[in-house]
Amino acid sequence: MKIKYDPKVDVIRIILKDVELEESDEETSGIILDFDSNRNVVGIEILQASKRIDNPQAIEYIIAQSMITS
């Protein structure tokens, strides 16, 4: 997964899978989903990111691991 912020156009792009895009759809105003040929979501674009996120240049992420108990 890659996360890129372009301050020139104020867009955050989250690339979930690096494949050729088949189509994109603006599901919600300012949120664009990118799909592969099987209609799997492979990317997300957030337009006007600085208006939607407090600090789009600072990204925090958490990797949660499920706990398996026997």
Side-chain angles (χ1 to χ4, degrees):
M1 178 169 62
K2 298 177 188 175
I3 301 173
K4 299 178 182 179
Y5 174 63
D6 186 342
K8 292 181 183 176
V9 292
D10 196 21
V11 172
I12 290 178
R13 173 123 171 84
I14 303 167
I15 302 166
L16 303 172
K17 191 174 182 182
D18 196 13
V19 297
E20 188 172 329
L21 301 180
E22 183 70 23
E23 68 178 285
S24 297
D25 191 12
E26 192 167 357
E27 296 285 324
T28 302
S29 180
I31 308 295
I32 299 171
L33 300 180
D34 297 325
F35 300 94
D36 66 10
S37 59
N38 294 319
R39 292 284 299 161
N40 296 311
V41 175
V42 295
I44 303 166
E45 293 179 41
I46 302 171
L47 309 179
Q48 298 178 328
S50 64
K51 294 180 181 175
R52 300 171 184 270
I53 300 168
D54 289 335
N55 185 359
Q57 293 182 346
I59 297 172
E60 179 180 334
Y61 65 93
I62 297 172
I63 299 174
Q65 295 180 356
S66 62
M67 296 180 64
I68 299 173
T69 58
S70 314

